Amino acid sequence: MSNSRWKQRPEGSNWGDFGADDQIGRMNLLTPERRLAAIRTVQHGQTFCLSLPLDYPGGNTLFQHRKAPRFFHERRGEGFNFNFKLSSVCSCFSDVVSDDAVMLYTQYSTQWDGLGHVGQMFDADGDGLPEKVYYNGYRAGVEVVGPDDVDDDYGAHAIGIERLATAGVQGRGVLVDLEAIHHRERALVGYDGLMAALERQGATVETGDFLCLYTGFADLILEMNKQPDGDRLKNSCAVLDGRDEKLLQWITDSGIVAICADNFAVEAYPAQPGQGDHYPGLPLHAHCLFKLGLNLGELWYFAELAQWLRANRRSTFLLTAPPLRLPGAVGSPATPVATV
Ligand code: UVW
């Protein structure tokens, strides 16, 4: 199997399976039938907001390269286009108007990782030399271009987050309540741990589902009131073990379309060392984003939904979670909604 962008695909990947030029990966498995099945889980019409306020975690101790949102305001006349009296346009107008501009790091808070977020050094063209490649063979410097490649017009011109935005991100969420098992203890959860948690809840996962992981991490962030204690956070709550091959194989086989967690990276970061001289530092990201085209949601907020599901002995809900339709972005804030 090969296509115009690659001669060989990574072992265990699905490149080409959804079409030579596919840009949404596993979201292809979210069919109208699966959405209807998700809608049938709704019994009460009650909703839960699954986003943190986007100015959390606060500061940048969690990850120094991501900063809190900053607002800017355009000048207008003598002042700014904020609390602006429209009477300066026409003395007959009584309106007062305000506009925003914001510097928003797309992965600072509750977010989707797009397929352009993590690629790998991989020899896709079979010349014996690895190159920077993303899902389905899209290349750094060709489709995914940054300030090192060109002077302007950079961004993910393929596999950008806008592709996810138009994919209809609405389906069945299955919440795995890891907080009920591990509380806020640091726990590395592999295949066995995940299966045990699902069994404890009597929950099953089907093709087209969004696997949602409640660990308590976002609750801890909220409690820290925008003064996050990085050391405590790094040693708290459950994370997936991205080095567990059995877990990675289950993700492939399960048919899930995304994994959405309330923690920083879904998986342990940094992960345990891998095998050999070269290996992914983010093995679950490599498996999901790069090999399968499976989006990851991070820093989601599940506390109230989890309480409700516990009280009602349920694990499933209707999830509606589009990212921003922001062409070229490799990630996006999200305001996911759960309906039960
Ligand atoms: C990193 O990029 C480290 O993590 P994430 O995908 O979790 O935001």
Side-chain angles (χ1 to χ4, degrees):
M1 195 178 218
S2 68
N3 87 4
S4 59
R5 288 182 308 280
W6 49 270
K7 288 207 175 74
Q8 50 191 21
R9 66 181 192 177
E11 199 186 326
S13 80
N14 59 9
W15 292 11
D17 292 358
F18 295 118
D21 299 322
D22 175 64
Q23 300 187 34
I24 59 167
R26 284 281 282 259
M27 278 295 155
N28 282 288
L29 299 179
L30 186 49
T31 59
E33 291 70 31
R34 294 307 306 155
R35 280 195 201 95
L36 283 172
I39 287 163
R40 282 195 288 270
T41 67
V42 176
Q43 293 166 359
H44 302 269
Q46 195 174 334
T47 57
F48 296 88
C49 173
L50 306 183
S51 174
L52 285 168
L54 292 185
D55 54 354
Y56 279 76
N60 63 342
T61 52
L62 205 55
F63 191 48
Q64 61 168 324
H65 303 290
R66 294 178 189 156
K67 295 180 184 148
R70 267 180 56 208
F71 286 95
F72 299 87
H73 299 98
E74 279 282 311
R75 292 208 69 89
R76 187 165 182 184
E78 300 290 295
F80 290 90
N81 193 25
F82 202 91
N83 290 335
F84 178 81
K85 288 201 292 185
L86 224 47
S87 55
S88 5
V89 174
C90 171
S91 58
C92 58
F93 292 154
S94 55
D95 321 62
V96 177
V97 299
S98 295
D99 273 9
D100 289 327
V102 61
M103 165 75 93
L104 194 65
Y105 284 65
T106 55
Q107 285 142 296
Y108 180 72
S109 188
T110 302
Q111 57 160 295
W112 277 115
D113 278 351
L115 304 186
H117 172 51
V118 173
Q120 291 293 306
M121 293 302 296
F122 173 72
D123 178 18
D125 56 12
D127 67 355
L129 296 171
E131 49 274 333
K132 295 181 197 172
V133 201
Y134 292 88
Y135 168 71
N136 216 8
Y138 290 104
R139 295 284 184 92
V142 180
E143 288 93 6
V144 182
V145 290
D148 286 338
D149 308 305
V150 288
D151 290 335
D152 57 12
D153 194 31
Y154 37 78
H157 300 315
I159 57 170
I161 205 74
E162 75 277 16
R163 301 283 178 170
L164 180 63
T166 53
V169 187
Q170 183 175 57
R172 194 177 82 138
V174 180
L175 192 82
V176 185
D177 195 345
L178 296 171
E179 201 267 353
I181 300 170
H182 303 287
H183 309 289
R184 291 181 180 182
E185 295 297 313
R186 184 67 165 184
L188 200 52
V189 176
Y191 171 82
D192 293 342
L194 185 64
M195 292 308 113
L198 284 167
E199 199 180 318
R200 181 180 171 278
Q201 291 174 225
T204 51
V205 172
E206 293 170 17
T207 295
D209 283 347
F210 294 75
L211 184 75
C212 298
L213 306 175
Y214 174 49
T215 74
F217 189 89
D219 311 2
L220 202 51
I221 282 182
L222 269 186
E223 288 165 23
M224 288 177 179
N225 205 17
K226 293 202 223 168
Q227 312 260 301
D229 174 345
D231 288 337
R232 184 163 169 225
L233 286 169
K234 278 175 197 131
N235 293 301
S236 297
C237 304
V239 285
L240 290 186
D241 180 2
R243 293 270 181 242
D244 182 356
E245 288 296 334
K246 222 170 149 190
L247 174 65
L248 301 185
Q249 190 58 50
W250 178 83
I251 292 170
T252 298
D253 299 340
S254 63
I256 56 171
V257 295
I259 306 178
C260 315
D262 64 349
N263 59 21
F264 171 63
V266 184
E267 63 179 316
Y269 180 68
Q272 318 264 26
Q275 286 178 351
D277 294 333
H278 298 280
Y279 45 79
L282 291 154
L284 188 120
H285 280 60
H287 188 74
C288 293
L289 297 173
F290 172 65
K291 289 190 178 179
L292 301 181
L294 185 149
N295 293 92
L296 299 174
E298 295 163 352
L299 291 172
W300 288 28
Y301 174 67
F302 289 123
E304 282 106 26
L305 172 67
Q307 292 302 334
W308 191 93
L309 292 174
R310 276 180 199 171
N312 290 274
R313 299 183 180 283
R314 274 179 55 176
S315 301
T316 59
F317 55 95
L318 172 66
L319 175 67
T320 307
L324 296 179
R325 191 175 180 179
L326 181 62
V330 297
S332 170
T335 309
V337 176
T339 310
V340 292

